[in-house]
Amino acid sequence: MPEGQIVVTGASRGIGAAIALDLERRGYRIASVSRSGEAPAGYGVACDVSDPGAISAAFQEVAAKGAIVGLVNAAGAHSEKPTIELTVEEFESTLRLNTTGLLVACQNVYPHLVARGEGLIVNIGSFVDRLAVSENVAYASSKAAVGAITRCLAAEWAGAGISLLNVAPGYIETDLNRAFLANERIQKWLRRRVPVGRAGHPDEVARLVGALFAENIVFLTGETIYIDGGQGVHIR
């Protein structure tokens, strides 16, 4: 059985919850970090990941319960607005949650993984990091930065035995977008645009993340792994 705890941010719902459940199924003890503190797996830790001080306090709370062996940064939010109407405050708010909070979490888990001499950090990005998406400049920018952070830290921390990967999903059906994706017009668009003909499921992303931890391929680091049904490479 795996030993130690994996911290999963954004674990109360959606992709984060599915990841927490899959990792628990594989035998890991899960610290489910979210604003609400709800825990679909393991135990809950309430934390606003847009607040660096709250992140630090959360890691101290988790460390008091045992060794930390990994981190999944799944917390984040989607934002969509015509760019000409986007305020600087709104842009920075998206980056603070999706990008700055992720970086701070990486910084906080670092000493725990260094102490072990190994560890894996999986960041949850998005396939929009390489696409032109109208009215998504803040969100796409934040997710492109996630890929850059992953690459830079992978190079910087490899000598300490720490691997980093960026898992970038396409359209994934969750409770937040289920009604939108159920619209027949959207369903028709997905069947035409996504080679597999549908949106993905949270458990598909979760099983990929779980496999990365289970296999522990140290030589695989710094990469972005797209899980989007082939949409990002499909020209039609």
Side-chain angles (χ1 to χ4, degrees), residues 5 8 18 39 58 64 68 70 73 79 93-94 96 113 135 137-138 146 161 172 191 197:
Q5 304 180 94
V8 181
I68 300 173
N73 279 306
S79 61
S93 176
T94 298
R96 188 172 184 84
L113 303 185
E135 302 185 354
V137 68
V146 168
I172 305 296
R191 288 192 294 270

Side-chain angles (χ1 to χ4, degrees), residues 1-6 23-29 69 213-214:
M1 294 287 287
E3 295 182 1
Q5 304 180 94
I6 296 178
L23 289 170
E24 184 178 61
R25 176 180 65 82
R26 295 173 188 270
Y28 291 100
R29 189 181 186 201
V69 301
F213 275 95

Side-chain angles (χ1 to χ4, degrees), residues 199-231:
H201 303 302
D203 74 286
E204 292 175 304
V205 181
R207 282 184 283 135
L208 170 58
V209 174
L212 293 172
F213 275 95
E215 294 301 326
N216 189 30
I217 307 170
V218 177
F219 203 62
L220 176 62
T221 189
E223 295 296 330
T224 293
I225 303 173
Y226 293 96
I227 177 168
D228 61 3
Q231 183 176 353

Side-chain angles (χ1 to χ4, degrees), residues 79-96:
S79 61
E80 183 173 345
K81 190 173 188 178
T83 304
I84 196 67
E85 300 173 8
L86 183 69
T87 67
V88 170
E89 291 75 19
E90 289 170 330
F91 181 81
E92 291 181 342
S93 176
T94 298
L95 264 66
R96 188 172 184 84

Side-chain angles (χ1 to χ4, degrees), residues 3 25 43 48 75 83 88 115-116 119 131 151 159 165 168 188 196 203-204 212 229:
E3 295 182 1
R25 176 180 65 82
Y43 63 93
D48 177 359
T83 304
V88 170
R116 290 179 52 81
L131 300 177
R151 291 188 294 274
L165 293 166
K188 183 178 180 180
V196 301
D203 74 286
E204 292 175 304
L212 293 172

